[in-house]
Amino acid sequence: MSQTNRGPCHFYATPSGCWRGTSCHFTHDVQSPSNRNPFSSTSSTRSYHDNRSRTCTFWLSKDGCRFGDTCKFSHPEASISPTTTATWRTSPVPQRSNTKPPTCRFWLMNGWCRDDDVCRFSHERDASTTVATRSTTSFQDSPTPATWRTSPVHQRTNTKPPTCRFWLLQGWCRDDDVCRFSHERDASITVATPNTISPVPLLDSQGIATLDVTNSDIFRSLSEKPLTSSEITNIMKPFLFDNFRFHNTFKVYAFWVPFQSAHRSNSNWSDEDGQVLLNTVAKGNGLLRIGDIIRWPDVSLEAGLDRETLSFQRGYYPLLSMLSSDFVLKSTRNHLVHSLYFGVLDNLECFAENVEGCVELALAVGSFKDPDGRKTEEGISGFQVFHSLAVVLFECLNRFKNAIATYPRLGPLVKYLVQWIETWAKDVSSTPPAFVDPMFAATSPEARNFTITHLRENAQRLLAITEREQKKISRVEERRTVPSSLQFTNQGVASALSILYKDEGPGALRRAGPRHDNDHEDIHDIRIAPTEQELICSHAPYLPANFFEAPHHGPRESVERLLDIQYRLLREEGSAPLRTSIQLVRNDILNHLNGESTQLSGLINRGGGKYRGNVSHEESVMFNVYTNVAFLGLCPDRRGISAKVSFDTPPGRARAESAASRTEFWESIGGKRLMQGGLVALVWEERGEVGIHLGILATRVSEVTEFVATNAESVIARIVFFDVSVQLRILQCLRKDGPVSSGIKILVESPVMYEAIRPFLEALCVEPETLPFSTHLVHRPPGFFEANHVLPPKYARMPGFEYQLSHLFPREKNVLDMKLSPMDPESVSNAREALRRNSRLDPSQADAVIATLTREVALIQGPPGTGKSFVGIELIRILIDAGLPILMLAFTNHALDHMLRGILDADITDDIVRLGGRCTDPRVFPFSIDKLEQNEDALDTTLRSHYRDLKESEKEIETFVAEFLQNDATPEAIDRYLAIHYPEHYEHLRTPPDWVEALYSNLVGGGRWVLAKPGGRTEVEEISRYSFWLQGHDIGFLSAPKYPKPLHKGKTTNAEKVSQPVNRYDVLSSEGGALEEEDDEQDCDGFEKILQSADAWPQDPSPIEPEGNDRASVDTALKPGIRSGKALQNSIDDSAQPKSNVERFLLKMGIRNVPGIPSSNRKLELLVEEGVVWTMSLTERKALHDFWGKAVLQDMLFTHEEKYEELRYRNQEAQEIYNECKDDIKRRLLRKADIVGCTTTGAAKLSSLLKSISPRVLLVEEAGQVLEAHILGTLVQSVEHLILIGDPLQLRPTLNNYSLSMDSTKGRKLFRFDMSLMERLSSSGFPMSQIDVQRRMRPEISNLIRHTLYPNLTDNDFVKNYPNVRGFAKNVFFLDHEHPENDGSAEDTSSKFNTYEVDMICDIVIYLLRQGCYSQEGDIVVLCAYLGQLAKVRDALRGLVTVVIDERDQTELADCDEKQVKFSPTSQVNRVGVATRVLLRTVDNFQGEEARIVILSLVRNAGPIDQAGIQGGLKRTIGFLRSDNRTNVSLSRAKEGLFILGNKAQLTAKSPMWKGVLEELESNGCIGKALPISCHRHPEILQHVSQPGHLHLISPDGGCLQSCDTRLKCGHVCPSKTTQTTLGFNASKNAARFVLDTTLASGIATRNAGSADTRYPKSSFPVATVHPSSSATNWMLWKLCIVLSV
C-alpha cells in the first residue's frame, strides 16, 4: 500500500525523527499541515512553525537546550545575557564561548548517543577524562556518531544510524529491515558483547619473563565478559539437540561464544569445567556440530555479514583455538581428544582448502582483519592463527600413526604452514610492518622476537616429522646404506659391525628377511610383548650398538636413532631372560617326549621349582617353573579378561604344614614371585605340539595368601593372556563335552617385571621431535660439547627473567635481594662470587648451583658424603620461588621419601604430591596421591557413568562365557538355526495342529512353567513351542488318558487327596465329566494349583515316558487303543459312558477322531527331509534334536572367536575410558602441586598424567643409578630444564641381562646399556659440576677413593676430629686371608659365601658391641658382596643380636632360601637389648646410606695357589668385584671405621682399582693376616687375631686381660681385668648396672640351635665380667662400689 494513503507520520516531526525510516507506513512530509508534534501539549492547536515564536525556556536555563537549532522554540540571542548563559550550549547561532562542553558519558560507554548531534554534551573524547567503559576499543579517533533517522525526505544528517546491538550479539534482529538501527557494522564502534574477545596480554618485559609457554591458553584470547560454567552449559544446550542445524553463519558464531570463556585465565573456570565441556563437544551431537563447521562449503576472510559464507575470523579460527586450548591438550581422556582431531583428519581436504585460501589472502592483504571494518576482529593475531594451526597439525601427527601416509594432504599443509610463518615473520618485523598484527602493536622487539622464535621452533618440528615420515614412505636407498665409519677410537668395532649389519639388519633390512613375525625396522611396529615365533626363534635378535660410530639404519646424530637404540636394548633386557627360559623348557619337553631325562622332568616330578640353565660361559639363567596347570574359568578383570588357573605349590617353605608359615612365605616373596603385572608363559604341549602363550599376572598377593591358607598343595593365579585364541582354547577345555587335554601344561615366570618395563617402551615410541634437549642427548662425536655452549633453560632465556638467590644466605648476612640473570654474564659472575663468599654453600656447591641454573641440561656429580641431596634441596628452593612446577624422580622409594622429607623439613613448600603407593615415611605419607584422593569426590557423574559401562561390558562377557560352557544348545538357539537352515521344519513347528496349539496354549499359558525342585524350591522355566515339541507333551497327553472316578459319599481326607495320582492334563476337562464353559475359569485356577504342586511334575522336565527301560515297550505303550483297563477308541461316540480327559478335550475342539500316537523310528536322513515334525515319535524327535544341537554348537564355534574378540575389545575400551576418568581426578590434584615426586617406574606408568600437568623442570636424584631409557621415557615435551644429580662413579643401574652390562666383555664394547645418561654425557665431554668437600669419612677412609677416583676431593674439618675406633689399633684395616669361598667347592652356585669371613664377622660384631659405644641402630653395618653371604651372616648372628635387613635384601633372601625357615628381620631375640641392632646389607642396596663402623665381606677367595681345591676347579676370579663402581660404594659408607675381609693377591690381580686401594692401605700399615686389637685402657698392648673364636679369649669383655687399676669414686682400686665399664665409659650406665649380675656374666649362650659355643657370654652389651675375691665381704663391698661409681 502506498505511504500517501496512510497519512502523515507524527514521529517524523519530532526532534528524534521516525525510527522506521523509509519503511514507515506513514508519509514523511514536512509541509503537511496535519503534521503535528506528538510531544507537544494535546491542547495546543498551533502548527509546528508557530511554536518558533515562543522562546525556549531550556535555552534560557544554565544547561541550555539539548535540541540546538532543531528545537521547535526560538533561541533569541538578545534575550540572553552572556554572563548567565551556559558556555557549552550547542546552538550554532548564539556562540557564547569557545570552551567545549564535557564529553557525553553515554557516548563514551556505548560509542553512540541517542541524541546524536543535538546532544548537549560533546561527542569527542577529552584527554583529561577517564571513564570506565565496557569496551576495550578506543574512540579517540571516532567520528561523531550518526543520527539514526533514515528518511531521505527529512534528512537532518548524512551519517548512518548506529549499529543494532541485538544484531551484533545474535547475528540477526527480530525487526529485520524495519529496525531503526543499522545492520551494518560501524568501524568506529565496538560493542562489548559475550562474543567480544580481549587480545592476548601484552608481552612486555615483565609479562614475558614469567610466561609459561606450556600453557597453551596464554596464546588464546579470553572473552571480555567471561561466562561461568553454568552459563556455558545453558548456552550449549540448544546446539546439542538432535534436530539442530546451522541454518546460517550467525548460528556458528553463536556456537563459539562459550568457548571464548573456556580459558585458564577465567576466574570462573576450572579444570573440571573444561573436562565437562570436552565431554560435551567431543562426542554425540557436539562432535557432529564440529564436523559441520569443518565441512562448511564456503569460508572466507571477507565474509562480512553474509549468511552463507562463513567468516574465517569468527567461524574457523575459533575451531583452531578450541583444538589448541589447554582443556583439550592437557586432558587425560584421550578417547575424546582423539575424536576431535580425527574429525579434522577425516575432513582434511575441506579443512586444508579453507585454511589455505584464507591464510594466503591474509598474507596478501597484510592483516587478518575483515575488510568490512569490524574492530573486534583486530584481536585476532597472525601469531594466534599460526600457533593454533601448528598445534592442531602436531597433535594430528603425534596421535595418529602413519598420518602422513594415510592423509596425503597433511604433508603439503605442514610445508605451507612453514612458508606462511616465515612470510609473516618477515612482514611483521619490517619497518614499517607489512603485516598489521594487533599482538605486536604495543610490545617490545624482544617480546616480538621471542614469540617469532617460539613459533618457528614449532614449525620446524612439524617439518622434521613430515620429512621423516615421507622418507619412511619413499624408502629412499640412502636409508638402507650403512654410513661409513669415522676414524675414532671404536673404529675397529664399528667396521666389524658394518660388515655384520649388511646382512643382519632389522626386519626387511635383513638380507634373509625378517627373523620372525615381530622383527621390524620401525620400533612403532614392534609389539612390546614377545610373540610365540619370537620366543622360539633361534636367530639372535637385532641389537644396535650403543656408541656414536656404530652403524645404524637411522640418521646419524638423530633422536630417531637414539630412541631406537634405547627401545631395542630395553626390550631385550626384559625379553631375553624369558626367551632363554622358554627355549630351554621347550627343548626339555621335546626331549622328554623322546624318552630322555631332563631337568624339567625332575621339576615336574617334584611339583615345580627353580630351573637353572647356562646361557654362555659368562652367563646363566634361573627362573621359576610351576607344574600341573589346570584351568578353573574365565572372568573379566580390571586388566582385561583373565583366566583363573591352579598349579602345584613349589617345593620348600611354600608347602609348610602351618598355614601361617605358608601365608608368611607368599607375603614376603610377593616382590619376586607371582608379582601382579609380571609376565608369565603358559607352555602347553598337546599331541607333540608345544604352544607358547604369554600373559600378565593379575593376581594380588592377598588372593594368593587367602587361598594357600587353606590349600597346601596348590596355588591359584589369574592371567590375562595377550592372544584371544588361547582364551577360547581354555573355554573349550572347560566345557564338559570339550576335548580332554592330557598334555603337559606348565607356567614359566619371567624374572623381569613386565609392568616395570612396558610403560617405558611405550613412552619411547614417541615422535622424535617431541623429545626435549635433542641437541645434547643424541650421540655426538668426541669434542662436540667442548665446541658447543650449553644454553640456559628456555624459561630463563625469556627477556627479563631472574632467579632470586637471597634464600641461600644465612639470616645474619642480611641479604634480602640477590638476583641472577642467566643471560647476563656479569650477573652470573657476581652471583657466583657472592655465593662462594657468604652463602650456606661451600665453594664447590655454589659453583654447582650457578652452573645448574644457567644450563638447560645440568649434571651435578656428588662423590660420597659431599651433600648432593642438600644441593638438590637448595636448587628446588630457588626454582619454586621462580614459580616453576617440578617433577622429581628418584630410583628408589627410600631415596624419594628422603628427598621429599628434606623439602618439607626445609619449609620450602607443602604443595607436593607423592605418586606411588609404597611410601613408608610418616612425614611424607599425608602427601601421597592415595591419601589425597581420599579427600576428593572421585565418583563424579562421568566416572559413575563409565563405571556402569565397564560393569555392563563385564556382565556381557560373563553371559557369553556361561552360554559357551553350556553342553547343549538352547531351544532358542535351535529355533533361530531352524529358521535359516531348515525353514520347513521351522514353519511346521510354528503352526502345529489346532488341538496341539490349544493344548500348548492351555497348558503353557504365559509361556512359563513353575518346576518343583527338591527342598521346596521352585524354578521358572520358559517353554517355547520347540521345547513343547521336544519333550513330547502332545504325545504324553494322548498316551495318559484319565477317567473320572465314582464319587464318594463322605469327604475325602487330605491324606487320600495326596495319595491319589495327579494327572497334569486333568485341567483340560471338568471334574464332573462334562466340559462346561462356565468352568473354564475354575479349571484355570485348578491348573495353576496343579502347576504349583510338588506332585504335579517330575523333578526332571524330560519327555513323559512310561516306566521301563525298553524302547520297544515304550512305543508299544503309545499305540492307539491302549489305556488302563480298556483301549482308547479311534472315534469318540456320544454315548453316556464316562469319557477320559483326552476325549472330552478333543470333543471340545470338535475332533471326534483321536489322533494316533506316533511310534516310528526312521533314519535321520529321512527326518531332516520331512518337515512335518508333529507326526514324529519321541525317539525321532530326540535324534533330530541331537543332530540340530550339534550343528548349532558347531555353528556357534565359528562365530564365538569373532564375538569374543568384539566383547573383549568393548571391555578394553570401557576399561581405558574408566581409567582415563580416574586419571583425571589425579590430574586435578597434580595441577595444584609445586612438586610431583615419584620413582622412575611410577613416572612411566603415569606418563599421560605427567603430560597433563606440564612440568617445566625434571630433577633426577641418584641419576647414576637410573637407566638412560627411563629418563628419556620420562622427558615429556613440556620439560625445559633437566637436572641430573648423582655420581656416575658409584653404582650403575641394575640389569637382569648380563650380556648388555658394562661388566660383560661384549656389553662393555657394544651395548653399555647400564651406563646411565649422566655417565654417557660426562664421558662424552659434556660439562659436569663436581662437589668437592666431603663430610662423612675420616681422612684414612676418604684416601681410598681420593687417590683412585676423586683427586679433587677434600675433607671438611669436621671429619678430621672423629674419635678412634674403640678396641682396634687401626681405624681402617684389611684382613688378608686365603680361606676359600663356598667351603672350597667348585660348584657354580647362584650366590657365593665364605664361612671363615662369617665367623670372623660375628667375632668383630660382638667385640664392637661390648665396647658400649656402638649399640645404636646404624652404628654397625655388615656389608656383603653376595646375597649368599648375607644369609650366612644373618643366621650366625640370629641368636646374639637383633638383625635388621633391608626389604629389598629380605625379598631376595626369601626367594633364594626356599628350604629354610624364614627369619623375621625385625624380630627381637631373647637376652638381647633393643638398642643392640646390627644392620645387614648387600653393597648394591646401601648406596646413599652410611654408618659409623662398616664391616665389609668381599667373599671371593680361591684359597692358596698350592691348595688342592684350586686344582679341583675353583677359579681365581672376583666376579662383579671388578666393578669400580661397586668398589667405590663399598669403601665409602663408613664414617669412623672400616674393616675389610678378602684375598689381597686375588683382588690385586683382577682389579686395577683394588690394586690402588690395597697399595694405599699397605702404605699406611693397614693390611695384615690378623686384626690388630688394642685395649683402650692399655693401648700399648697390641694383640692380633686371625682365627674365629680367638678374639673372645684375649678380650672376653671388650677390654683386655690386664688389671684395670682404675681408682673408683669410693677410693678403692678396681681389682678386675679391664672392661669397658671399668674404663669409665658412661654411654650405657643402665646397661652397666644390669650386667653386673654374676649369674649373667658367667652364663653361656648357644650360638646356633642345638650346639653350644663357649665364646659368647650370655649377656647384653657392654659386658663387665668380674671375679669375686676369696673374701665374701670384700666382694660385696667391691660390687657396691662399682655400682656407686657408675
Side-chain angles (χ1 to χ4, degrees), residues 482 497-506 509 542 551-553:
V482 180
L497 289 174
S498 299
I499 298 174
L500 178 64
Y501 180 83
K502 293 180 180 180
D503 297 327
E504 296 298 326
L509 297 181
Y542 168 72
H552 193 275
H553 59 283

Side-chain angles (χ1 to χ4, degrees), residues 968-1201:
D968 297 324
T970 63
E972 292 77 10
I974 295 179
D975 205 45
R976 292 191 298 268
Y977 177 80
L978 294 181
I980 300 174
H981 300 281
Y982 293 90
E984 183 181 359
H985 296 73
Y986 177 75
E987 292 298 332
H988 279 282
L989 276 172
R990 289 178 58 86
T991 56
D994 293 340
W995 71 271
V996 175
E997 179 65 24
L999 180 65
Y1000 172 77
S1001 301
N1002 291 331
L1003 191 62
V1004 177
R1008 302 196 310 172
W1009 287 4
V1010 180
L1011 303 179
K1013 292 293 183 179
R1017 297 182 295 107
T1018 60
E1019 180 179 313
V1020 176
E1021 180 185 10
E1022 301 288 341
I1023 300 299
S1024 64
R1025 282 185 175 82
Y1026 182 85
S1027 299
F1028 184 87
W1029 170 82
L1030 175 63
Q1031 296 178 15
H1033 292 298
D1034 56 328
I1035 299 177
F1037 174 66
L1038 296 176
S1039 62
K1042 184 177 181 182
Y1043 292 86
K1045 294 184 178 180
L1047 296 176
H1048 297 282
K1049 294 183 179 180
K1051 292 184 177 180
T1052 305
T1053 63
N1054 293 333
E1056 291 173 344
K1057 291 181 179 179
V1058 173
S1059 64
Q1060 294 175 357
V1062 180
N1063 189 329
R1064 74 179 89 176
Y1065 304 105
D1066 285 347
V1067 299
L1068 302 177
S1069 61
S1070 64
E1071 182 178 353
L1075 198 60
E1076 305 289 343
E1077 292 190 12
E1078 58 266 27
D1079 293 338
D1080 287 349
E1081 184 177 352
Q1082 181 180 352
D1083 290 342
C1084 291
D1085 293 340
F1087 178 60
E1088 294 294 333
K1089 293 178 182 179
I1090 292 176
L1091 288 179
Q1092 299 293 342
S1093 172
D1095 298 327
W1097 304 98
Q1099 294 180 6
D1100 184 12
S1102 58
I1104 307 300
E1105 296 184 6
E1107 295 181 358
N1109 297 326
D1110 189 4
R1111 185 71 246 177
S1113 64
V1114 172
D1115 291 339
T1116 303
L1118 294 178
K1119 289 181 180 180
I1122 299 178
R1123 58 180 173 86
S1124 300
K1126 60 179 181 178
L1128 191 65
Q1129 300 296 326
N1130 292 334
S1131 61
I1132 305 173
D1133 54 23
D1134 295 331
S1135 62
Q1137 65 178 0
K1139 294 181 174 59
S1140 68
N1141 61 332
V1142 176
E1143 294 170 327
R1144 293 195 303 272
F1145 173 75
L1146 293 175
L1147 282 174
K1148 185 178 178 180
M1149 295 295 301
I1151 302 174
R1152 290 186 174 273
N1153 294 325
V1154 178
I1157 300 177
S1159 59
S1160 57
N1161 189 9
R1162 291 169 289 178
K1163 292 184 178 180
L1164 182 63
E1165 292 81 0
L1166 298 176
L1167 297 177
V1168 296
E1169 294 296 333
E1170 182 179 342
V1172 186
V1173 295
W1174 294 104
T1175 62
M1176 296 179 182
S1177 65
L1178 286 176
T1179 303
E1180 292 173 338
R1181 296 182 186 188
K1182 180 68 167 57
L1184 199 55
H1185 168 74
D1186 292 342
F1187 170 74
W1188 284 339
K1190 292 180 180 178
V1192 169
L1193 291 179
Q1194 187 65 32
D1195 191 56
M1196 291 173 62
L1197 289 177
F1198 293 143
T1199 60
H1200 269 169
E1201 183 170 352

Side-chain angles (χ1 to χ4, degrees), residues 131 183 239 246 287 397 502 699 705 803 894 918 1025 1030 1216 1490 1554 1633:
V131 180
H183 287 179
F239 297 101
F246 290 122
L287 198 58
L397 291 172
K502 293 180 180 180
T699 321
T705 55
Y803 294 108
H894 172 78
R918 301 186 63 183
R1025 282 185 175 82
L1030 175 63
E1216 290 176 355
E1490 60 186 17
W1554 273 111
R1633 290 191 178 94

Side-chain angles (χ1 to χ4, degrees), residues 378-393:
E378 290 186 358
I380 299 177
S381 164
F383 173 82
Q384 292 176 294
V385 173
F386 295 134
H387 177 267
S388 299
L389 182 58
V391 170
V392 172
L393 295 181

Side-chain angles (χ1 to χ4, degrees), residues 411-452:
L413 183 58
V414 170
K415 294 182 179 179
Y416 287 148
L417 176 62
V418 176
Q419 296 174 5
W420 296 337
I421 291 175
E422 290 301 322
T423 302
W424 167 82
K426 179 181 178 182
D427 292 347
V428 83
S429 302
S430 62
T431 305
F435 190 97
V436 180
D437 199 312
M439 176 181 286
F440 302 139
T443 56
S444 63
E446 293 81 4
R448 182 189 62 206
N449 294 336
F450 167 78
T451 53
I452 291 175

Side-chain angles (χ1 to χ4, degrees), residues 475-516:
R475 300 280 186 179
V476 292
E477 194 61 31
E478 62 188 37
R479 291 197 62 193
R480 294 177 174 269
T481 304
V482 180
S484 59
S485 299
L486 304 181
Q487 300 296 320
F488 295 116
T489 55
N490 294 320
Q491 194 233 343
V493 178
S495 300
L497 289 174
S498 299
I499 298 174
L500 178 64
Y501 180 83
K502 293 180 180 180
D503 297 327
E504 296 298 326
L509 297 181
R510 183 169 178 259
R511 177 169 296 180
R515 299 164 179 80
H516 44 75

